[in-house]
Each structure stands twice: as structure tokens, then as C-alpha cells.
Amino acid sequence: MIDWAAFVVVAGASLLGSVVVVSLYSLGLRLLTSAGRALVVDPQSFTGAITILTPKRAAKEAKRARKTASANPLTVGQKRLALVGAYACFVLCIGAVLYGVYLIVPALHR
């Protein structure tokens, strides 16, 4: 006989856990972008192969990066705080995943 109450508890816990991990990761990426640390990569140029940039293209990309950096309204302290928050979100995300692995593998908690 199936214990439906236990099934619902496990389904709810897995749904809640996945929402927490995805939310922490998304918030970490958002804070990392706000801190100005995210790399901007064109989808067309990121093919996994080595891409050689012409000097004209490199100058264009550098100008775009400077324009993006100057458009950030945050102060240096706010950027540093956003970076610390991003790393904290990533650490919490890793901790949640490792705790899930700990709960799944019985050999780890004997």
C-alpha cells in the first residue's frame, strides 16, 4: 500500500528545494551582473572553439564594455556589497546541493 501523505511530503520538499536552489542561483547571477563582474559573450562567437578577434572587433568590444561599465549607477561600495551577496548566494546554493546529496546517499550519514 502506498503512503500518499509521505509521497506528498517528498514531492513538496523536492519542489521547495528546487525553487530555493534556482532562486538562489538566479539572485546570485543578478547580483554578480549588478556588481559588474559578468562577462558579456555574444552567442554567435561562443562556439567552444577559439575565436580570433580582429583589432577593429576588439576595439568595438572594449568600447561596448566601457559603455556598459559607465552605465552602472552603483557606487563602489554598493558594487562590493552586490559581489559579496552574489558569492553568498552561490555558497548557499552549493550548500543546499551538497546537503541534498548527503540526504540521498546513505553511506554518508551512518
Side-chain angles (χ1 to χ4, degrees), residues 65-73:
R66 283 192 305 273
K67 183 178 177 183
T68 303
S70 68
N72 194 340

Side-chain angles (χ1 to χ4, degrees), residues 4-94:
W4 288 103
F7 179 76
V8 169
V9 167
V10 170
S14 63
L15 181 65
L16 180 68
S18 63
V19 166
V20 167
V21 169
V22 169
S23 298
L24 281 172
Y25 190 76
S26 299
L27 181 62
L29 285 179
R30 176 68 177 111
L31 289 173
L32 194 64
T33 303
S34 295
R37 296 292 177 111
L39 296 175
V40 178
V41 179
D42 287 333
Q44 298 166 349
S45 66
F46 187 68
T47 60
I50 296 174
T51 304
I52 298 173
L53 295 176
T54 62
K56 183 178 177 183
R57 174 72 186 226
K60 181 180 174 184
E61 292 296 326
K63 181 180 177 184
R64 190 172 108 190
R66 283 192 305 273
K67 183 178 177 183
T68 303
S70 68
N72 194 340
L74 300 179
T75 64
V76 175
Q78 290 172 331
K79 287 180 184 179
R80 188 172 295 133
L81 185 62
L83 187 64
V84 169
Y87 289 153
C89 285
F90 292 142
V91 166
L92 288 173
C93 189
I94 290 169

